[in-house]
Amino acid sequence: MTDLISTLGSLVASLGNVQSADVLRERVALISDQLELLKQRVIDLEEENTGFMKENDKLKQEIARQLVSEEYVEHRGALFKRKPSGGYAETPVCPVCRRSMWCFQKSLPYECSDDACRHPADFTGRDLPGILAALDEE
């Protein structure tokens, strides 16, 4: 836009001998003013859009938290899905990436099944029946 304004200014300067140069100068000045207003409006809209995008992300996170709190209960580093009939699913879910968790021969702590995540839980396979019973009592 700055190049356009300077080009228009050069054009007006070269038309100095023409009788309508004053009219052209006024029109170029008007166009220049309008371009400046448009440039500021674009800046304002970009800032407003950034604010809307941040607010949208925040609201998405809030919705995700609400869904988790209704569908799952978090306990000892894992999520347990509520069953519609009551009780909880026996497969813990990773609170980080929402994938299932597993443990090796019930002796090691549960961890996320996603190789990129591997979030650990604070219990082993041997602890799972007691955890499910405790969750049912809550």
Side-chain angles (χ1 to χ4, degrees):
M1 274 202 260
T2 307
D3 293 338
L4 179 61
I5 294 170
S6 64
T7 302
L8 289 173
S10 301
L11 179 62
V12 169
S14 66
L15 294 174
N17 298 339
V18 180
Q19 291 179 352
S20 63
D22 290 336
V23 173
L24 289 175
R25 232 181 258 112
E26 288 176 19
R27 287 186 180 172
V28 169
L30 177 63
I31 291 171
S32 178
D33 291 344
Q34 289 174 340
L35 282 173
E36 287 300 319
L37 290 173
L38 288 173
K39 190 188 315 182
Q40 185 58 48
R41 182 70 177 141
V42 167
I43 290 169
D44 293 344
L45 288 172
E46 286 174 345
E47 289 174 2
E48 186 178 15
N49 187 46
T50 300
F52 286 143
M53 290 174 67
K54 287 179 183 178
E55 184 179 0
N56 186 35
D57 288 342
K58 187 194 275 185
L59 291 171
K60 283 180 181 178
Q61 290 173 356
E62 180 61 30
I63 288 170
R65 277 193 294 275
Q66 288 176 1
L67 289 175
V68 166
S69 67
E70 292 174 7
E71 191 175 359
Y72 295 91
V73 64
E74 187 166 0
H75 187 70
R76 294 182 65 178
L79 297 176
F80 293 89
K81 186 172 183 172
R82 291 182 170 97
K83 292 181 182 179
S85 60
Y88 295 88
E90 294 180 7
T91 303
V93 176
C94 177
V96 176
C97 69
R98 305 291 189 266
R99 294 187 186 241
S100 62
M101 299 180 87
W102 72 285
C103 71
F104 181 71
Q105 295 186 354
K106 296 187 178 186
S107 60
L108 295 176
Y110 271 89
E111 72 177 14
C112 179
S113 60
D114 183 355
D115 289 334
C117 181
R118 292 287 186 213
H119 175 78
D122 186 27
F123 59 93
T124 66
R126 289 189 186 113
D127 301 326
L128 185 60
I131 290 172
L132 292 172
L135 288 173
D136 285 336
E137 292 176 5
E138 289 181 5

